[in-house]
Amino acid sequence: MKTKISILRLAALTLLLAVCQTVTVAQPSPKSDAAVPGGSLTGVFSHPWKGKKVAYFGDSITDPRNKAASNKYWKLLQEWLGITPYVYAVSGRQWTDIERQANLCKEQHGDSIDAILILMGTNDYNNGVPLGQWYVEKEEEVMYGHGKPKAMTLRKRQYPCMTDSTYRGRMNKALSLLKRMYPTKQIVIMTPLHRQNFHANEKNWQCSEDYTNQCGEYLQAYVDATKEASNVWAVPVIDLNAVSGLYPMLDEHAQYFNNADTDRLHPNNKGHQRIALTLMYQLLSLPAAF
């Protein structure tokens, strides 16, 4: 009996060594390892987003024309993972601009993209867009039968609020459009980042997140609403507000933003590197294509 157990253990050990040898063979070159701060993930397997075509929708944080950073997070993902970026973000835009960005992407690339990443919402907060509701309810008759013959019964039914006048209504419109336009594509939403002061000029003087906006809401309410969209529309949400580690409310974190005194809204190159690293790991849990 002991001899049989020993043989089984030896066989298991042999199999384990064979697997380990298979994994270590796939190590990348030192050059590719050095390209990513902290080392590359591709040492043991291929990242699921490697070489994919990704459309980026959003505002100034993603906009390539915004000068706060010359090396945006999507450009770093291109360098590290070979992602082909199609960037449609425009400074100052809100969720109402997703339709325009999506239509332009569709016009230029058709169905050739693999996925869409959306970073939006900070301008909706700054412009005081009311949060609103996801649904309106109506009473309607519906056929139903369970344990007894089917019959018409009166039930409440919910309909998505499709309006540009509220934050949730805007997301409903945008995500409804995207889910219809790109039914086979991965769509990922990112929550707005923490934000401190932004003083561009006398007519563009924005408060930090510890103040309510014009409709009496804090930024956190928009972050929470963005996360709710995950269950409403069956889209994954990456909570950059939480997991990026960027916290401009503290002077020690001003190093990650454009200007400590006048712009702790837009991350600089160092801040974008943190976003890119965070996304690289977060995206490991999501398929880039179906």
Side-chain angles (χ1 to χ4, degrees), residues 137-238:
E137 287 185 334
K138 298 179 181 179
E139 281 196 338
E140 296 182 1
E141 284 191 329
V142 62
M143 188 70 72
Y144 179 78
H146 183 71
K148 56 184 179 181
K150 65 180 182 180
M152 296 300 293
T153 181
L154 193 64
R155 297 283 184 89
K156 287 184 178 180
R157 184 179 183 182
Q158 58 186 19
Y159 290 87
C161 293
M162 298 289 184
T163 175
D164 287 336
S165 63
T166 69
Y167 188 66
R168 291 187 176 96
R170 292 175 172 192
M171 283 192 286
N172 274 340
K173 287 187 67 175
L175 293 172
S176 176
L177 172 75
L178 291 175
K179 297 285 275 189
R180 295 171 189 272
M181 185 180 292
Y182 294 107
T184 64
K185 309 301 180 182
Q186 177 68 279
I187 301 169
V188 181
I189 303 175
M190 297 174 277
T191 61
L193 295 167
H194 285 278
R195 50 179 290 158
Q196 229 264 24
N197 59 312
F198 178 63
H199 305 155
N201 53 61
E202 291 301 314
K203 293 185 178 180
N204 190 2
W205 195 280
Q206 300 181 23
C207 300
S208 57
E209 66 177 44
D210 49 355
Y211 290 93
T212 59
N213 61 11
Q214 299 96 307
C215 63
E217 299 286 354
Y218 290 102
L219 175 66
Q220 187 61 47
Y222 295 81
V223 173
D224 293 340
T226 304
K227 290 190 284 187
E228 292 167 9
S230 180
N231 287 323
V232 175
W233 286 102
V235 292
V237 173
I238 296 177

Side-chain angles (χ1 to χ4, degrees), residues 4-5 21 36 38 44 49 52 54 77 90 102 107-108 112 153 161 178-179 206 236 239 246 249 254 278 287:
K4 185 179 291 186
I5 293 174
Q21 288 174 351
V36 183
V44 291
W49 289 66
K52 300 302 181 183
V54 179
L77 292 176
V90 177
E107 177 186 329
Q108 294 180 346
S112 66
T153 181
C161 293
L178 291 175
K179 297 285 275 189
Q206 300 181 23
D239 189 2
L246 296 176
M249 301 298 288
T278 300

